[in-house]
Amino acid sequence: MDKNRLIPGRRYLHVRQCMIGGILHEAERWIRCVDVTATGAVFSRDYEAPFELTDAQIARELREGHDR
């Protein structure tokens, strides 16, 4: 996804892959855009602390979807 299309307050589907025990796993979760920064954007999810994704991570891991 292009960072320039992010809208603060809107939710996006965060899809990422990680290797656990030699097996590739894919995780999905809904995250809310809090703020767009020069190097990426800040997101939050429920009761977790806000976290930042870089431009490269946004392009690779974020998907637009239907906001529930």
Side-chain angles (χ1 to χ4, degrees):
M1 166 167 223
D2 183 16
K3 176 183 100 170
N4 296 324
R5 295 179 54 203
L6 291 176
I7 301 169
R10 185 162 182 199
R11 294 185 340 161
Y12 297 91
L13 186 61
H14 183 211
V15 179
R16 64 187 180 114
Q17 295 180 341
C18 62
M19 187 73 72
I20 301 175
I23 300 171
L24 186 63
H25 294 275
E26 189 170 278
E28 296 180 346
R29 65 183 182 165
W30 288 96
I31 57 177
R32 186 173 307 280
C33 180
V34 176
D35 188 29
V36 178
T37 64
T39 59
V42 178
F43 296 89
S44 69
R45 180 173 187 268
D46 299 329
Y47 300 104
E48 294 178 13
F51 58 94
E52 186 169 356
L53 295 178
T54 64
D55 291 343
Q57 289 172 313
I58 290 169
R60 184 177 60 243
E61 300 176 1
L62 272 190
R63 310 279 187 275
E64 276 191 280
H66 298 288
D67 196 2
R68 297 188 226 173

